[in-house]
Amino acid sequence: MSAVVAQTLHVFGLRSHVANNIFYFDEQIIIFPSGNHCVKYNVDQKWQKFIPGSDKSQGMLALSISPNRRYLAISETVQEKPAITIYELSSTPCRKRKVLNNFDFQVQKFISMAFSPDSKYLLAQTSPPESNLVYWLWEKQKVMAIVRIDTQNNPVYQVSFSPQDNTQVCVTGNGMFKLLRFTEGTLKQTNFQRGEPQNYLAHTWVADDKIVVGTDTGKLFLFESGDQRWETSIMVKEPTHDSKSLDVIQESESLIEFPPISSPLPSYEQMVATSSHSQLSMPQVFAIAAYSKGFACSAGPGRVLLFEKMEEKDFYRESREIRVRREEESSKTGPIGIFSPERKLLIQILKNHSYNFSQYSTSRNGEPAHFEYLMYPLHSAPITGLATCIRKPLIATCSLDRSIRIWNYETNTLELFKEYQEEAYSISLHPSGHFIVVGFADKLRLMNLLIDDIRSFKEYSVRGCRECSFSNGGHLFAAVNGNVIHVYTTTNLENISSLKGHTGKIRSIVWNADDSKLISGGTDGAVYEWNLSTGKRETECVLKSCSYNCVTVSPDAKIIFAVGSDHTLKEIADSSILREISAFDLTYTTIVISHSGRMMFVGTSVGTIRAMKYPLPLQKEFNEYQAHAGPITKMLLTFDDQFLLTAAEDGCLFTWKVFDKDGRGIKREREVGFAEEVLVTKTDMEEKAQVMLELKTRVEELKMENEYQLRLKDMNYSEKIKELTDKFIQEMESLKTKNQVLRTEKEKQDVYHREHIEDLLDKQSRELQDLECCNNQKLLLEYEKYQELQLKSQRMQEEYEKQLRDNDETKSQALEELTEFYEAKLQEKTTLLEEAQEDVRQQLREFEETKKQIEEDEDREIQDIKTKYEKKLRDEKESNLRLKGETGIMRKKFSSLQKEIEERTNDIETLKGEQVKLQGVIKSLEKDIQGLKREIQERDETIQDKEKRIYDLKKKNQELGKFKFVLDYKIKELKKQIEPRENEIRVMKEQIQERVEIRSYNFTKQARKAPLWGALPQMEAELENFHKQNTQLELNITELWQKLRATDQEMRRERQKERDLEALVKRFKTDLHNCVAYIQEPRLLKEKIRGLFEKYVQRADMVEIAGLNTDLQQEYARQREHLERNLATLKKKVVKEGELHRTDYVRIMQENVSLIKEINELRRELKFTRSQVYDLEAALKLTKKVRPQEVSETEPSRDMLSTAPTARLNEQEETGRIIEMQRLEIQRLRDQIQEQEQITGFHTLAGVRLPSLSNSEVDLEVKTN
């Protein structure tokens, strides 16, 4: 694969051809289609996230979001086959949940979709001629029902579910309004259309069984359970003066533009032709959306009406009108989306073929409502030109929608926007970012980019310029006129040369790095390299069989790259084609190479982008990215090679961040800071200064006025306050008097109520006693009535049984009478049918005779007579069909009644037997299911165990690698330590030997001195001790070498195990990857998994697993978990102990260093005292010219005799201590190696630097002494 990758950053564009192409995800995020992606756009934070379409998709057709805002359904055409992809929006990033692409019915594409209220079912409508409505249980990819909606190829515009019922469905289209219900596995129509059919464009559910429907004649209907309950018409409230009438007719209102059979959107001419006759008076209602108080609908150009439900009636009245701003009033209104309906409304506006988004707030009901921009306006037609500059982060685009737009790719905003009367074919931006050159249909214009406008300052008579480009230095620009290239200067704006040579249209031009040459390619198959100083061709390469689409040149200007219609990428140098690289059955439309010369990008005719590494590889090595829904027209890289810009025929502009494979951005060698200067004309500045002065004077006047008004108001308010205080005081006094009066009345009422309550209680007690006596008497009477009624019921039961017997007899007689009656009726109907047929034949003869007689009459009479007789014929046919149906129904009823009596007895017996059989089958199947579930669970457990084992082995392998590194390092350190210590031992042996000789010599000379005889056995004991220590050190060294060899062999074995395990893991991964391909086929997946199990699980393991029962397996798992926990705790203890030993070792080493320093100081003192003794002996003239080594031969004093042996003893002790320290160090190292061998995977010295031996310095001091 290529090392160059690209990441989508931002997109400027919206695809209007997609049904339901904009809606809210939540209060801040909207979703809309752009290119071959769906974009989640945060309105507040201005970020975009992308939901990519399917690979090899040819474009989206419809969108639908579930009511719980969790799933998004996208209808696409993938490799000329329809598909529905359902994404899960709650995951980050959004992932595919299901793909519906295997259909058992004929389908070309899905044009409308809807989710059920619980988001479990999906409704999809196919396009004519099939016009099938499909009801899916989408999570299981199961078609629950399918029904054909229309047989006359009329377009269907919208399908929807009832917001409360999964089984109720509504479908609207041209001449159709149908309500269907899902029952018994089918969709059945529940309503019948009455009256003239209308062209129903949109609908919405306002209640469980109420639907509001809009038509193309501006009418709104309210249907309840399929019956019309309410109707109203929308009128355009626009002035009808002549200046606006033509605009209103041509800018006809359009909301969601519903497609004919061939295309997803009607053409501009079709919309004008179909709507111009009634557009002024009756606007088309293309979109309706419901909210809690009512519904909103489109109502003419740039206008939306809100309807609210009346309190007393089930009708709706217009409550509010919302418009776009005055400059957008003649725009075409797009789809309405509502989220939190009391707060936000989202619509799409179409003006001059450019899209705007708007939102509003319904909190202020009294004020006039206007929509405000939600996002910048976008291109609505193919983008034909794309350019960028060096000094500013700007992108310039032009389109067939007759507009020029300047974008900022750093802030992702629209800087400038202007519309023209002519179409723009090409554009180029000056490197400074202050000028543009644009090729229009009539002229070539050079323009200034001002702070708020684009103004032309030079025009050239170049018609239909399809390519133009500024040079890299900005001092020249080239423009293509057919097959001629004109080169102009930007200083005096004159034409300095015209390059002629192409025989066909020139499709692409490009400058080299130093602007000395210009490369061009055209439809004639020629690629020319022009020298601008001479105006002649330097190199040429002509291939008639190829029509070139785009050319570019390498940074060193030695190689030209060209792409064209022959599905190849060509490298051209010195007028010859060096190499052709296949495009693999695609057509390359654009090509661009980076300024650093390290990467190349090509655009294809299907909207994809391929990123290649440069120099180009020989094999198929590139990264392909799905981007646009149409052929890519232009592609550019910014000057710093950080961003890739692509534009296509779908009207979308993408910005990409370019990375290498490791995630680092590919940066230029030098960075150029962006400029912040803008162009402003002198007149604009003067006008703004004048306006500022006027506003300042106006502000001062307003301040004076406000101060005067405030004084007046203060005076008025003070007077009012005085009046109110006097009034309140009077009212308070009156209220006090009233309060006293009310208190007295209250006391009187209390006394009266007490007396009244006592009377009522006495009366109640008396009435209660009377009621008890009456009720007892009534109970006795009711009991007697109950016994009489019981006797009557028994008699009635006997009478009813007699009546049932009589009814059975009369039933058989009535059946015979009915059969005779209907047979007679059938004969009568057949006679009537024959008579009607004869009448029809007679009428046809009369019609033909009258037709011959009145052929010369007027066309209107002919049409009237024709319609008259056609109606008669239709009525007769309908009556005949009705009669036939009634006769067939009667026959079927007669035969069914006879069969049912015979079949029911047999059915009961057979059903009982089948019930017993089915119960047995169900029990056996349940057992099989439990066994299969158990088997699947066991297989999952074995797979998990294998994965854990692989992971543990990998971890152990890593630890062994670390352990090997530590052992290698320790071996090197030990070697370094052993060699100097062997040298030290050798030097010490020599010193000991010399000292022994000296001592023996001194002993022979001074044998008469008794103190020396006592020191001799001590010296011999020390010498023997030194010999023993030397032999022990040699043994330790040999033992250490043997352990090093053993660790080497162990390390080789572990490496071999690691390689074997890696090979096994790779084989298992490849086999597992192959199994994933059968994820949609459970049977094959089961076989593949079984094969994996047999291949990678050992026979012994299989036998052991098969032999163990569940109790043993559980016990084994429990023991294993217990041992793993113990092992983990032991490892933690070992780590802690290792850290403690390391700290102790560092402390001991520090103590050793301090002791060695003390020894060195004592040696210096000893040396100093020796020199003093020698000086004193010389002063006393006890020795003459005697060397320090021969001091013992003279006749020393008692002091000399006492100091010499003590010095020798100190030297012996010092050497003994040094040797003991070395022996302890070697023993410690040996113990550490043994610990490392016992604890595999744990390194006590990993990352710890071994201590440096300071003993070498000590030994050097000993030698010098």
Side-chain angles (χ1 to χ4, degrees):
M1 294 298 291
S2 173
V4 179
V5 294
Q7 179 183 354
T8 311
L9 281 184
H10 201 84
V11 61
F12 305 95
L14 168 70
R15 296 204 54 217
S16 62
H17 294 250
V18 180
N20 192 20
N21 59 356
I22 183 167
F23 42 79
Y24 273 105
F25 175 64
D26 55 26
E27 290 189 357
Q28 288 83 28
I29 298 174
I30 59 173
I31 296 177
F32 58 88
S34 182
N36 202 25
H37 298 73
C38 273
V39 182
K40 292 173 69 175
Y41 177 69
N42 190 300
V43 178
D44 297 334
Q45 300 176 8
K46 309 297 182 185
W47 53 255
Q48 289 184 352
K49 292 182 180 179
F50 296 89
I51 305 171
S54 301
D55 293 337
K56 299 181 181 179
S57 173
Q58 297 170 356
M60 300 178 184
L61 299 174
L63 301 180
S64 180
I65 191 168
S66 62
N68 59 6
R69 295 296 191 273
R70 186 176 178 183
Y71 303 110
L72 174 67
I74 301 175
S75 170
E76 299 175 289
T77 303
V78 181
Q79 293 181 343
E80 299 181 356
K81 293 182 180 180
I84 296 176
T85 307
I86 298 171
Y87 291 86
E88 188 170 353
L89 297 176
S90 58
S91 61
T92 305
C94 299
R95 63 181 181 89
K96 288 183 181 180
R97 184 68 180 267
K98 287 290 178 183
V99 179
L100 309 177
N101 53 10
N102 295 322
F103 309 114
D104 299 333
F105 48 87
Q106 292 292 328
V107 57
Q108 291 183 359
K109 56 188 176 182
F110 295 97
I111 58 176
S112 182
M113 298 180 296
F115 277 98
S116 63
D118 58 1
S119 304
K120 292 182 180 179
Y121 299 95
L122 181 68
L123 199 65
Q125 175 65 45
T126 66
S127 61
E130 295 86 9
S131 296
N132 289 324
L133 182 66
V134 188
Y135 189 90
W136 258 303
L137 180 62
W138 62 267
E139 288 186 346
K140 296 184 179 179
Q141 298 184 357
K142 181 181 179 182
V143 176
M144 305 296 291
I146 183 170
V147 64
R148 186 168 184 180
I149 293 298
D150 185 63
T151 57
Q152 300 178 359
N153 291 339
N154 289 326
V156 178
Y157 297 142
Q158 187 180 356
V159 298
S160 66
F161 275 98
S162 170
Q164 303 295 332
D165 190 358
N166 286 346
T167 62
Q168 196 166 0
V169 173
C170 180
V171 182
T172 54
N174 189 1
M176 71 178 75
F177 169 72
K178 294 186 179 182
L179 291 174
L180 300 100
R181 185 174 289 278
F182 177 72
T183 56
E184 298 177 357
T186 58
L187 285 168
K188 295 180 181 179
Q189 187 172 351
T190 59
N191 72 319
F192 296 97
Q193 294 185 10
R194 298 184 179 91
E196 295 183 0
Q198 302 278 343
N199 187 6
Y200 300 106
L201 300 180
H203 70 268
T204 186
W205 295 79
V206 293
D208 294 346
D209 55 352
K210 294 180 182 179
I211 304 173
V212 176
V213 185
T215 68
D216 60 347
T217 58
K219 291 185 178 181
L220 291 173
F221 297 96
L222 175 65
F223 291 95
E224 183 176 359
S225 300
D227 298 329
Q228 182 178 333
R229 300 296 185 191
W230 174 72
E231 177 183 353
T232 188
S233 296
I234 300 172
M235 301 298 291
V236 176
K237 299 178 182 179
E238 291 290 337
T240 58
H241 55 273
D242 297 335
S243 63
K244 294 192 73 174
S245 61
L246 292 175
D247 293 336
V248 174
I249 291 172
Q250 291 178 358
E251 295 287 342
S252 57
E253 184 263 347
S254 169
L255 203 55
I256 303 174
E257 293 152 335
F258 296 100
I261 300 169
S262 59
S263 65
L265 270 178
S267 65
Y268 182 74
E269 293 79 6
Q270 287 173 343
M271 287 192 293
V272 173
T274 55
S275 60
S276 61
H277 65 89
S278 63
Q279 197 66 26
L280 281 174
S281 59
M282 294 293 181
Q284 297 182 1
V285 181
F286 274 110
I288 307 175
Y291 66 102
S292 60
K293 295 181 181 179
F295 63 91
C297 69
S298 64
R303 181 165 162 253
V304 173
L305 295 180
L306 296 183
F307 286 84
E308 291 186 0
K309 188 176 180 181
M310 299 174 68
E311 294 180 358
E312 298 178 355
K313 301 179 181 179
D314 290 338
F315 301 149
Y316 292 85
R317 62 177 176 83
E318 180 182 339
S319 63
R320 195 170 186 190
E321 178 182 358
I322 309 168
R323 289 181 175 271
V324 296
R325 298 294 177 185
R326 187 169 297 277
E327 61 270 13
E328 302 284 343
E329 281 185 354
S330 61
S331 303
K332 303 170 186 177
T333 308
I336 295 177
I338 288 181
F339 188 86
S340 298
E342 283 70 24
R343 297 177 58 196
K344 291 186 179 180
L345 174 67
L346 176 68
I347 69 167
Q348 176 189 338
I349 302 296
L350 179 65
K351 180 190 175 186
N352 297 333
H353 308 282
S354 64
Y355 296 91
N356 300 327
F357 299 85
S358 308
Q359 71 177 5
Y360 85 109
S361 175
T362 62
S363 60
R364 297 177 295 178
N365 294 322
E367 300 179 4
H370 288 278
F371 288 105
E372 296 179 357
Y373 283 119
L374 181 70
M375 205 167 71
Y376 34 77
L378 306 167
H379 284 296
S380 64
I383 297 174
T384 56
L386 177 66
T388 185
C389 63
I390 299 173
R391 294 289 295 143
K392 291 185 179 182
L394 298 181
I395 308 168
T397 57
C398 63
S399 172
L400 295 180
D401 60 4
R402 302 176 182 177
S403 68
I404 295 173
R405 299 166 201 264
I406 308 298
W407 314 88
N408 190 317
Y409 61 81
E410 269 197 346
T411 60
N412 296 322
T413 56
L414 180 66
E415 296 280 342
L416 290 173
F417 159 61
K418 195 168 185 180
E419 294 181 339
Y420 296 88
Q421 297 296 323
E422 299 85 15
E423 293 179 345
Y425 297 131
S426 60
I427 192 169
S428 183
L429 192 58
H430 193 270
S432 65
H434 293 154
F435 315 105
I436 58 170
V437 58
V438 185
F440 288 96
D442 58 345
K443 289 181 181 179
L444 178 71
R445 292 183 174 89
L446 194 61
M447 301 181 177
N448 283 325
L449 295 180
L450 303 180
I451 188 171
D452 56 356
D453 195 11
I454 303 174
R455 294 184 187 173
S456 173
F457 66 91
K458 180 66 176 175
E459 294 182 353
Y460 300 95
S461 59
V462 178
R463 299 176 65 86
C465 176
R466 296 284 177 174
E467 286 291 329
C468 61
S469 177
F470 275 103
S471 63
N472 296 317
H475 60 291
L476 301 173
F477 68 90
V480 173
N481 186 5
N483 56 3
V484 180
I485 304 172
H486 300 287
V487 181
Y488 302 88
T489 63
T490 56
T491 53
N492 55 10
L493 307 178
E494 292 181 354
N495 186 1
I496 59 171
S497 64
S498 297
L499 309 177
K500 300 178 181 179
H502 282 278
T503 59
K505 291 184 179 180
I506 299 172
R507 298 290 297 275
S508 179
I509 56 174
V510 63
W511 298 84
N512 67 344
D514 58 358
D515 298 332
S516 62
K517 296 177 184 179
L518 186 69
I519 295 92
S520 63
T523 57
D524 55 356
V527 176
Y528 296 146
E529 185 177 1
W530 307 86
N531 191 327
L532 295 181
S533 59
T534 61
K536 295 181 180 180
R537 294 196 298 262
E538 283 197 352
T539 61
E540 60 182 29
C541 179
V542 181
L543 185 64
K544 296 291 185 182
S545 61
C546 179
S547 175
Y548 288 110
N549 296 324
C550 186
V551 296
T552 188
V553 65
S554 62
D556 56 2
K558 292 181 180 180
I559 300 175
I560 299 169
F561 301 94
V563 294
S565 59
D566 59 350
H567 308 295
T568 58
L569 167 63
K570 298 179 178 62
E571 289 189 36
I572 302 170
D574 298 330
S575 303
S576 62
I577 298 174
L578 298 180
R579 189 165 53 148
E580 291 187 2
I581 299 168
S582 174
F584 304 101
D585 298 329
L586 284 178
T587 301
Y588 288 149
T589 56
T590 56
I591 184 169
V592 64
I593 190 169
S594 65
H595 300 86
S596 61
R598 294 167 56 187
M599 55 185 177
M600 182 180 290
F601 299 92
V602 291
T604 66
S605 58
V606 296
T608 59
I609 295 168
R610 291 181 177 178
M612 304 178 183
K613 195 175 180 180
Y614 185 77
L616 296 174
L618 297 174
Q619 300 175 353
K620 185 179 178 181
E621 293 184 5
F622 54 80
N623 292 329
E624 188 165 6
Y625 301 98
Q626 200 79 19
H628 295 274
I632 295 176
T633 55
K634 296 291 178 182
M635 182 184 294
L636 284 178
L637 273 167
T638 56
F639 184 72
D640 55 359
D641 289 343
Q642 291 290 308
F643 302 100
L644 175 70
L645 314 173
T646 60
E649 289 185 4
D650 58 2
C652 298
L653 171 65
F654 276 82
T655 60
W656 306 75
K657 180 73 174 177
V658 179
F659 293 97
D660 62 6
K661 204 166 187 178
D662 297 329
R664 299 187 302 272
I666 301 174
K667 296 184 179 180
R668 296 290 307 276
E669 293 179 357
R670 63 185 186 89
E671 295 184 357
V672 181
F674 292 125
E676 297 182 356
E677 297 83 6
V678 293
L679 294 181
V680 182
T681 61
K682 186 177 180 181
T683 56
D684 290 342
M685 292 294 291
E686 290 174 352
E687 288 176 359
K688 287 182 179 177
Q690 186 65 29
V691 170
M692 287 174 68
L693 288 173
E694 293 176 356
L695 290 173
K696 283 181 181 178
T697 55
R698 179 65 179 159
V699 167
E700 291 176 357
E701 291 174 358
L702 289 171
K703 282 182 179 178
M704 296 291 290
E705 273 188 307
N706 287 330
E707 289 175 357
Y708 178 68
Q709 294 291 336
L710 286 171
R711 289 195 203 99
L712 291 176
K713 287 180 180 179
D714 289 337
M715 293 170 64
N716 293 328
Y717 287 145
S718 62
E719 292 176 357
K720 287 181 180 179
I721 288 167
K722 288 179 181 178
E723 293 175 359
L724 289 171
T725 52
D726 296 334
K727 187 178 179 181
F728 285 141
I729 290 167
Q730 293 174 1
E731 288 179 357
M732 285 172 67
E733 290 175 355
S734 64
L735 288 170
K736 284 180 181 178
T737 56
K738 284 182 181 179
N739 192 10
Q740 291 176 357
V741 172
L742 290 171
R743 281 181 181 175
T744 56
E745 289 180 358
K746 183 193 172 189
E747 291 173 355
K748 292 178 182 178
Q749 291 289 336
D750 289 336
V751 173
Y752 172 75
H753 283 302
R754 287 193 199 97
E755 294 174 355
H756 186 63
I757 287 167
E758 290 174 357
D759 296 334
L760 288 173
L761 289 171
D762 295 333
K763 188 177 179 181
Q764 184 187 7
S765 61
R766 289 193 298 271
E767 288 177 355
L768 186 62
Q769 291 174 1
D770 296 335
L771 285 171
E772 286 178 355
C773 295
C774 293
N775 285 329
N776 290 327
Q777 294 175 2
K778 285 180 182 179
L779 282 172
L780 294 171
L781 294 172
E782 290 295 331
Y783 182 73
E784 292 173 358
K785 288 180 182 180
Y786 171 74
Q787 289 178 351
E788 292 174 0
L789 290 171
Q790 193 171 6
L791 294 171
K792 284 182 182 179
S793 65
Q794 291 176 359
R795 294 193 201 100
M796 288 175 70
Q797 189 173 2
E798 293 173 357
E799 289 175 1
Y800 282 129
E801 287 176 356
K802 290 179 183 179
Q803 288 178 4
L804 286 172
R805 296 190 200 98
D806 297 334
N807 285 331
D808 291 333
E809 294 174 357
T810 55
K811 182 181 177 183
S812 59
Q813 294 176 2
L815 185 62
E816 292 174 357
E817 291 174 359
L818 283 171
T819 52
E820 292 174 357
F821 172 76
Y822 282 114
E823 284 176 355
K825 196 172 182 180
L826 182 61
Q827 290 177 359
E828 290 176 1
K829 296 295 182 181
T830 51
T831 56
L832 289 171
L833 181 61
E834 290 173 355
E835 291 174 359
Q837 288 177 354
E838 288 176 359
D839 291 339
V840 169
R841 294 191 198 98
Q842 185 65 27
Q843 287 174 2
L844 285 172
R845 292 192 202 99
E846 291 175 1
F847 177 74
E848 288 174 358
E849 290 174 359
T850 54
K851 185 178 179 182
K852 289 177 183 178
Q853 291 173 3
I854 60 173
E855 278 180 349
E856 299 175 355
D857 293 345
E858 292 178 353
D859 293 337
R860 190 178 300 165
E861 294 177 357
I862 294 169
Q863 189 66 27
D864 294 337
I865 294 167
K866 185 179 178 181
T867 54
K868 178 181 176 184
Y869 281 100
E870 282 178 353
K871 284 181 181 179
K872 286 184 179 180
L873 183 62
R874 197 182 302 114
D875 294 335
E876 292 296 330
K877 286 182 178 179
E878 287 175 359
S879 63
N880 291 336
L881 291 171
R882 199 179 299 113
L883 291 170
K884 287 180 181 179
E886 288 177 359
T887 55
I889 289 166
M890 292 302 171
R891 286 176 183 172
K892 288 179 181 177
K893 283 184 179 180
F894 180 73
S895 60
S896 63
L897 287 171
Q898 288 180 347
K899 290 179 181 178
E900 281 179 359
I901 295 168
E902 297 174 357
E903 289 177 355
R904 280 183 182 175
T905 55
N906 297 326
D907 289 340
I908 291 167
E909 294 177 357
T910 54
L911 286 172
K912 286 181 179 178
E914 288 179 359
Q915 185 180 4
V916 174
K917 292 179 182 178
L918 289 172
Q919 286 178 353
V921 172
I922 288 166
K923 289 179 181 178
S924 62
L925 289 174
E926 287 177 350
K927 290 179 181 178
D928 294 340
I929 289 166
Q930 291 177 356
L932 291 170
K933 285 182 179 179
R934 199 179 298 113
E935 186 178 355
I936 290 166
Q937 188 176 1
E938 291 173 358
R939 298 281 171 83
D940 291 339
E941 290 176 355
T942 53
I943 289 168
Q944 290 176 0
D945 293 338
K946 291 294 179 182
E947 288 178 351
K948 287 181 181 177
R949 187 178 174 189
I950 290 165
Y951 176 74
D952 294 337
L953 290 171
K954 279 186 176 180
K955 196 169 180 182
K956 189 175 180 181
N957 189 9
Q958 293 176 357
E959 292 174 351
L960 287 172
K962 293 178 183 177
F963 184 50
K964 181 244 179 187
F965 175 75
V966 172
L967 287 176
D968 290 339
Y969 180 76
K970 284 172 66 178
I971 289 165
K972 290 178 183 177
E973 291 294 328
L974 288 171
K975 286 180 179 179
K976 289 178 182 178
Q977 292 177 8
I978 288 167
E979 289 177 359
R981 294 191 180 177
E982 287 179 349
N983 295 329
E984 290 171 7
I985 291 166
R986 195 181 302 111
V987 170
M988 288 180 181
K989 284 181 180 179
E990 292 175 357
Q991 289 179 357
I992 290 166
Q993 191 68 29
E994 289 177 356
R995 288 175 182 173
V996 167
E997 291 176 358
I998 291 167
R999 284 171 183 167
S1000 61
Y1001 180 75
N1002 291 333
F1003 179 72
T1004 55
K1005 292 287 183 179
Q1006 299 176 356
R1008 62 183 180 271
K1009 296 177 182 178
L1012 292 176
W1013 287 99
L1016 183 60
Q1018 188 179 359
M1019 287 176 159
E1020 289 177 354
E1022 287 179 359
L1023 183 61
E1024 289 177 0
N1025 191 13
F1026 285 149
H1027 282 297
K1028 289 179 182 178
Q1029 288 178 357
N1030 192 8
T1031 54
Q1032 185 65 31
L1033 287 172
E1034 287 177 356
L1035 290 172
N1036 291 339
I1037 289 165
T1038 53
E1039 189 176 355
L1040 286 172
W1041 278 109
Q1042 289 174 0
K1043 286 187 178 179
L1044 283 174
R1045 291 190 194 96
T1047 52
D1048 254 346
Q1049 292 175 0
E1050 182 67 23
M1051 202 161 58
R1052 290 192 195 97
R1053 285 196 296 272
E1054 292 297 331
R1055 282 179 179 172
Q1056 185 62 35
K1057 284 182 183 178
E1058 180 187 358
R1059 287 194 289 271
D1060 296 340
L1061 286 172
E1062 284 180 353
L1064 180 64
V1065 169
K1066 285 180 180 178
R1067 289 199 301 273
F1068 182 74
K1069 282 183 178 179
T1070 53
D1071 292 341
L1072 188 62
H1073 181 71
N1074 294 331
C1075 287
V1076 171
Y1078 300 97
I1079 194 71
Q1080 301 292 337
E1081 300 176 1
R1083 184 175 58 79
L1084 293 174
L1085 181 65
K1086 183 177 178 182
E1087 293 177 359
K1088 294 292 181 181
I1089 295 295
R1090 185 180 286 115
L1092 275 178
F1093 183 76
E1094 292 173 355
K1095 184 176 179 181
Y1096 290 101
V1097 179
Q1098 298 178 2
R1099 294 296 180 87
D1101 295 339
M1102 291 172 66
V1103 171
E1104 186 178 356
I1105 290 167
L1108 290 173
N1109 55 10
T1110 56
D1111 295 335
L1112 289 175
Q1113 288 178 356
Q1114 291 176 357
E1115 183 65 26
Y1116 172 72
R1118 200 180 302 112
Q1119 293 289 337
R1120 182 176 178 180
E1121 289 178 359
H1122 177 67
L1123 292 173
E1124 286 177 351
R1125 285 197 295 269
N1126 290 339
L1127 182 61
T1129 54
L1130 289 172
K1131 284 184 178 179
K1132 289 179 182 177
K1133 287 181 181 179
V1134 168
V1135 171
K1136 290 181 181 178
E1137 289 176 358
E1139 291 177 354
L1140 294 173
H1141 288 311
R1142 194 181 299 116
T1143 54
D1144 293 340
Y1145 173 70
V1146 171
R1147 182 177 54 76
I1148 291 166
M1149 288 300 297
Q1150 290 175 354
E1151 291 177 356
N1152 288 339
V1153 170
S1154 61
L1155 290 172
I1156 288 167
K1157 287 180 180 178
E1158 291 177 0
I1159 290 166
N1160 289 331
E1161 290 175 358
L1162 292 171
R1163 282 177 181 162
R1164 292 190 192 97
E1165 291 177 1
L1166 180 62
K1167 186 177 180 182
F1168 181 70
T1169 51
R1170 282 180 181 176
S1171 61
Q1172 283 182 348
V1173 169
Y1174 181 74
D1175 292 338
L1176 289 170
E1177 288 178 352
L1180 295 172
K1181 296 180 182 180
L1182 296 173
T1183 179
K1184 293 179 180 179
K1185 296 180 182 179
V1186 179
R1187 290 178 298 175
Q1189 291 86 356
E1190 296 175 354
V1191 175
S1192 58
E1193 295 178 0
T1194 60
E1195 294 290 337
S1197 62
R1198 290 182 180 178
D1199 296 331
M1200 285 295 296
L1201 291 172
S1202 63
T1203 55
T1206 57
R1208 282 196 295 272
L1209 288 173
N1210 288 333
E1211 288 177 357
Q1212 291 170 4
E1213 289 175 0
E1214 181 182 355
T1215 54
R1217 285 174 63 187
I1218 290 170
I1219 292 168
E1220 183 66 23
M1221 283 171 60
Q1222 298 293 338
R1223 187 181 64 77
L1224 291 172
E1225 179 70 17
I1226 291 168
Q1227 183 65 29
R1228 187 185 63 78
L1229 291 172
R1230 198 173 88 189
D1231 295 339
Q1232 284 187 1
I1233 291 168
Q1234 288 178 357
E1235 289 177 0
Q1236 295 292 338
E1237 289 175 353
Q1238 291 174 1
I1239 303 172
T1240 58
F1242 172 70
H1243 314 295
T1244 57
L1245 295 176
V1248 179
R1249 191 173 179 183
L1250 290 170
S1252 60
L1253 292 173
S1254 60
N1255 295 331
S1256 58
E1257 297 177 357
V1258 177
D1259 295 334
L1260 288 172
E1261 290 182 359
V1262 173
K1263 289 179 182 178
T1264 54
N1265 292 334

